[in-house]
Amino acid sequence: MKQNEYEYLLNKIYYKGILKNQGVNADIYQRMQNEYSNLDMSNLVKGKLDTEYAFRKSFLVVRNYVQQAIKDGLKSFQFTMQARDITKLTYMVEMLNRNFFDKQSLDQIIITANSVFNQYNLKN
């Protein structure tokens, strides 16, 4: 997934200036993507543990920003959303609470959240 999906989700929820130095830019996602690319799951030898740690650390940062954005989006726009979309987003927040480090699952959550929020003309 391109980091633009991540950036788009956060920009959809927040004013562009609110988190400008924290999580909205795609650099955080790109760092996680680079560290994911460096992983070699078949050879978790002594030197590779540092690579896995770096990925997990950056993954947690991205996951936390995505989770917080979805929570804030629900809080801000729940009165304009349909019940099925609220349920879907609530489920995604619960999934993000779990201890997982699967980039494909996180990417799917970001894509799905974008598709839900895109149905509404959200202007924060």
Side-chain angles (χ1 to χ4, degrees), residues 1-9 26 29 114:
M1 180 183 81
K2 296 180 182 175
Q3 64 269 16
N4 294 345
E5 290 283 333
Y6 166 79
E7 189 172 21
Y8 182 77
L9 174 64
Y29 185 91
N114 273 332

Side-chain angles (χ1 to χ4, degrees), residues 72-86:
D72 291 344
L74 273 170
K75 185 192 236 182
S76 298
F77 307 114
Q78 66 184 343
F79 298 112
T80 61
M81 294 183 156
Q82 296 179 3
R84 65 180 164 77
D85 292 331
I86 292 171

